[in-house]
Amino acid sequence: MSRGSRALSARGKHRTELLRQMVRIRRFEERCVELYSAAEIRGFMHLYIGEEAVAAGLMQALSADDAVVSTYREHGHALARGVPMASVMAEMFGRSTGCSRGRGGSMHLFDVVRRFYGGNAIVGGGLPIAVGLALADVMRGRPQVTACLFGDGAVAEGEFHECLNLAALWALPVLFCCENNLYAMGTALAREHAATDLALRASSYGMTSWAVDGMDVEAVAAAGNRAVETMRASPGPCFLELRTYRFRAHSMYDAERYRGKAEVEQWKQHDPIDQLTTRMRDDGELTDKSLTTLEAEVDSELDEAVAEAKAGPLEPVEDLMRFVYTEQS
């Protein structure tokens, strides 16, 4: 095998894994819509459809020892991080077999083994946690990176400025990842911020920052790798503005009156899954058969996850106060 063939093979495998992760996230979210509509999943739920490239691209840049702090739109982050699909789905159903024992639901996924620290329902709430985790790693002499994902709505919060300032001041290895989907909860970016170049704003704190096409999974992966390599070589934070778009409303309760259907359809022309699929087909790395096989494997994994979640037990009533109060000695 020639050097060129080996390179193509490695690239094809990498692209296939990125595609698999995006398809897993998309299918998981679509199934959640079905289950929510059937009232089998309750509570608040924020879907990630359209933003899959961010989760799939970023998570591959991190090691198992790195930490991840997420938002309430975190299903895709958790799946790409390696939290088992059955564990995430069980949490959707509120089962004790869920990754948060069924106590957190959609917005509070947590997996300490994989250093996945939320799922945080408060806008910008994960930023101080990320800074604290990175500070702990530095104080203990551990060379880990903490990736903190948040939306453009968090940029308007005081925590954003406080945390970027502290991370830069103390040279903490925090990778700030802003998923800029242009609307926060329902307000257009330009109506909320006088300066809409969020990467430029982050650079004012003295950290390396740049904007990335968040609809291109390979661009996200390259940016994630570059940022992590930079941080491992020279301690200090980096900031990525991942310009993306959610195809669904803010939440299942959102009437979505702040944007037009034509705009959504226009953004769907940049679907990250379709873009990568087309690229792989053009380069001879994907066939109809291989795509069908991949999708069938994901569907099978999803069916098993739903069946396992539904079969999982609810937490016993007598355990409801467990972990709420600390027992006094």
Side-chain angles (χ1 to χ4, degrees):
M1 182 182 292
S2 68
R3 180 179 300 178
S5 298
R6 285 197 299 271
L8 179 61
S9 177
R11 183 185 66 179
K13 290 179 180 178
H14 181 59
R15 283 176 162 180
T16 299
E17 181 56 28
L18 292 174
L19 178 61
R20 180 182 300 276
Q21 290 294 358
M22 290 197 294
V23 172
R24 290 178 74 239
I25 296 168
R26 179 70 61 87
R27 296 293 178 266
F28 182 92
E29 298 291 66
E30 290 172 344
R31 186 66 64 88
C32 281
V33 172
E34 296 175 9
L35 294 166
Y36 196 96
S37 299
E40 294 190 67
I41 293 177
R42 304 294 182 90
F44 290 99
M45 189 167 70
H46 305 79
L47 300 171
Y48 201 62
I49 295 174
E51 300 184 30
E52 295 91 350
V54 174
L58 279 177
M59 295 305 162
Q60 59 81 47
L62 303 172
S63 73
D65 294 329
D66 293 329
V68 178
V69 181
S70 187
T71 69
Y72 49 73
R73 197 184 306 279
E74 86 279 32
H75 306 164
H77 303 157
L79 292 171
R81 179 59 177 170
V83 181
M85 185 179 286
S87 180
V88 178
M89 186 59 79
E91 193 62 35
M92 299 297 105
F93 278 86
R95 306 293 179 170
S96 60
T97 49
C99 57
S100 297
R101 298 186 177 91
R103 291 176 170 232
S106 172
M107 295 196 290
H108 297 281
L109 304 180
F110 190 94
D111 191 324
V112 68
V113 173
R114 293 168 181 82
R115 299 202 75 195
F116 187 82
Y117 300 110
N120 293 279
I122 299 172
V123 174
L127 287 155
I129 295 172
V131 170
L133 289 168
L135 177 60
D137 282 337
V138 169
M139 293 178 71
R140 293 177 180 178
R142 299 188 303 207
Q144 272 74 51
V145 165
T146 296
C148 180
L149 294 108
F150 53 93
D152 51 290
V155 178
E157 299 292 324
E159 297 99 320
F160 173 82
H161 303 281
E162 293 165 352
C163 291
L164 264 66
N165 182 62
L166 276 180
L169 190 63
W170 294 344
L172 300 178
V174 182
L175 176 55
F176 294 102
C177 306
C178 178
E179 294 184 289
N180 179 8
N181 61 30
L182 302 179
Y183 282 100
M185 182 174 178
T187 302
L189 186 70
R191 294 177 64 88
E192 185 177 13
H193 297 278
T196 58
D197 189 330
L198 305 184
L200 183 61
R201 185 178 304 184
S203 69
S204 71
Y205 288 98
M207 66 182 68
T208 301
S209 60
W210 67 97
V212 184
D213 181 357
M215 305 300 281
D216 184 340
V217 68
E218 290 188 282
V220 175
N225 289 330
R226 174 187 165 193
V228 170
E229 290 171 3
T230 298
M231 296 167 69
R232 296 202 198 283
S234 178
C238 279
F239 182 98
L240 298 179
E241 180 191 348
L242 301 143
R243 296 175 176 173
T244 184
Y245 197 86
R246 52 179 168 80
F247 296 163
R248 300 280 304 199
H250 170 71
S251 72
M252 294 297 291
Y253 290 102
D254 181 12
E256 201 177 7
R257 296 176 179 174
Y258 46 82
R259 63 182 186 180
K261 293 182 179 179
E263 178 185 305
V264 178
E265 291 303 315
Q266 183 178 6
W267 272 94
K268 285 183 178 180
Q269 301 306 308
H270 304 284
D271 188 308
I273 295 176
D274 292 344
Q275 285 194 73
L276 182 59
T277 299
T278 299
R279 203 175 298 160
M280 292 177 69
R281 287 184 188 279
D282 291 344
D283 292 338
E285 298 168 344
L286 186 71
T287 63
D288 290 341
K289 181 179 180 180
S290 61
L291 179 58
T292 299
T293 299
L294 185 153
E295 291 178 333
E297 291 171 350
V298 170
D299 288 341
S300 178
E301 180 188 15
L302 185 52
D303 289 340
E304 292 176 7
V306 172
E308 186 175 329
K310 288 184 176 181
L314 294 170
E315 186 173 30
V317 174
E318 56 270 22
D319 286 350
L320 291 180
M321 299 304 292
R322 191 181 179 202
F323 307 120
V324 176
Y325 296 104
T326 299
E327 293 184 6
Q328 293 184 345
S329 57

